[in-house]
Amino acid sequence: MRNLLLFLFILIGVYYLRRLLAGNDAADKPTAAAEPQREAEQVLPCAHCGLLVPASEGVESQGNFFCSAEHLRLGPGAQ
Ligand SMILES: [Zn+2]
């Protein structure tokens, strides 16, 4: 009977020790540092209407930036 109780105490001790170690591992892991930093996209004004548009969504031609293909066709000016 005494050996059975000792065995149970050891099992409970091992269980709590493993939980404690697993909890510490999870707390030590950096979560925010692992995420890649998103670069801020450049926003440019349209040469035709002056609308601010992200660089990836606009059209660039001959050094001028336009919000759309339509304003690229119309050309710079007339703001
Ligand atoms: Zn425009």
Side-chain angles (χ1 to χ4, degrees):
M1 188 65 197
R2 208 174 142 209
N3 283 342
L4 188 69
L5 277 174
L6 195 69
F7 179 71
L8 277 174
F9 277 126
I10 289 168
L11 270 184
I12 290 164
V14 168
Y15 172 75
Y16 277 106
L17 199 68
R18 285 187 66 175
R19 263 188 60 172
L20 195 75
L21 291 171
N24 282 346
D25 281 351
D28 288 343
K29 277 179 190 167
T31 51
E35 288 176 24
Q37 287 275 322
R38 278 187 59 186
E39 248 179 71
E41 190 172 5
Q42 193 178 10
V43 178
L44 298 166
C46 173
H48 183 79
C49 66
L51 185 74
L52 293 168
V53 179
S56 64
E57 291 178 28
V59 188
E60 198 172 339
S61 175
Q62 298 165 358
N64 291 317
F65 181 79
F66 300 93
C67 65
S68 61
E70 177 66 15
H71 282 182
L72 170 66
R73 192 180 62 78
L74 293 169
Q79 290 194 10

